Amino acid sequence: MTTATDALINAADSALRTLFVPPRASRECATLPERANDQELSDADRHLSGALMRVNHVGEVCAQALYTAQALSARWPRGSSRPNLPLATQLEAACKEETDHLAWTQTRLDELGARASLLNPLWYAGAFGLGLIAGRLGPAVSLGFVVETERQVEAHLAEHMERLPAGDQASRAIVAQMKQDEARHAREAQAAGAVELPAPVKGLMRIAAKLMTTVAHRI
């Protein structure tokens, strides 16, 4: 059984791997064409795709932090509460899928000649703190936070599908697969007993996401 110390070590390892180790996907993007012809993209289209994929990459950095922190809270609850191992396992499984997204977006950034956000350590720290707060409020709230986060991410990815250049089939395929996975994570969290978050909390989450996406688009 994983102890509290083990959980802390795993959380630290996840942070280091997310921020400083090239991510490796455990599966290929199911909808990714065998070979996209990026030579057909104009400089403007390549720049736009790079900026949008940088934002998506930041979202996956934050997802790693959120799920890791929430899983840590589930394995190391406060007070006399017992560890919620089923919840921790569910969160860790979702985190593993988000690692695939992290790897796909990083690969696409490399292909486009774009860089990841310079503020990734800051994004990770902020998201980890939010994940700890959500996790400490109990399983139902933690799952509710997952549902609302994934719903907002799904909407954000749908917007990117509209904004990505029509000729950038590789980026569009990655975003489409990510959108499917995020929707499934939300459904799984809902089925596991998530509660609906209050409207003000949802609004604050949208404001924070807007700030992150606006800054990450450029930096």
Side-chain angles (χ1 to χ4, degrees):
M1 179 181 294
T2 301
T3 65
T5 301
D6 292 333
L8 280 172
I9 293 173
N10 290 339
D13 179 70
S14 177
L16 292 174
R17 288 179 179 277
T18 299
L19 296 173
F20 302 113
V21 178
R24 298 179 62 180
S26 62
R27 58 190 171 129
E28 293 184 2
C29 184
T31 58
L32 185 61
E34 291 185 4
R35 175 58 62 184
N37 187 2
D38 289 339
Q39 299 301 320
E40 297 180 358
L41 294 177
S42 67
D43 289 344
D45 284 348
R46 187 183 294 270
H47 179 77
L48 175 59
S49 290
L52 293 175
M53 294 308 288
R54 178 165 51 252
V55 171
N56 292 332
H57 182 266
V58 168
E60 298 310 321
V61 168
C62 291
Q64 291 294 307
L66 287 168
Y67 280 125
T68 298
Q70 289 176 272
L72 175 62
S73 293
R75 288 193 180 278
W76 192 12
R78 63 182 178 181
S80 59
S81 301
R82 293 183 177 181
N84 190 327
L85 299 184
L87 175 58
T89 299
Q90 179 177 345
L91 292 167
E92 288 160 356
C95 188
K96 184 176 180 180
E97 284 197 350
E98 299 290 353
T99 301
D100 291 342
H101 299 174
L102 187 69
W104 297 342
T105 51
Q106 180 63 67
T107 297
R108 189 61 188 142
L109 284 173
D110 294 340
E111 292 171 349
L112 291 165
R115 58 166 174 75
S117 173
L118 299 176
L119 301 178
N120 274 341
L122 177 63
W123 304 132
Y124 190 98
F128 191 89
L130 288 176
L132 278 180
I133 293 172
R136 291 300 183 186
L137 293 175
V141 173
S142 187
L143 287 166
F145 190 80
V146 171
V147 171
E148 183 58 27
T149 298
E150 298 293 24
R151 284 176 178 170
Q152 292 191 19
V153 170
E154 186 182 1
H156 156 83
L157 292 173
E159 178 186 350
H160 275 202
M161 288 292 287
E162 296 292 329
R163 295 183 62 191
L164 280 166
D168 188 358
Q169 295 301 317
S171 296
R172 296 175 68 84
I174 291 170
V175 170
Q177 184 62 53
M178 289 168 56
K179 184 172 178 293
Q180 290 181 24
D181 291 343
E182 309 299 2
R184 177 165 46 79
H185 292 164
R187 292 195 300 270
E188 290 171 350
Q190 192 76 57
V195 297
E196 191 79 12
L197 298 184
V201 174
K202 294 180 182 180
L204 288 174
M205 290 172 67
R206 281 191 289 270
I207 292 172
K210 182 63 175 178
L211 174 63
M212 181 272 287
T213 56
T214 299
V215 174
H217 190 88
R218 297 173 175 81
I219 303 175

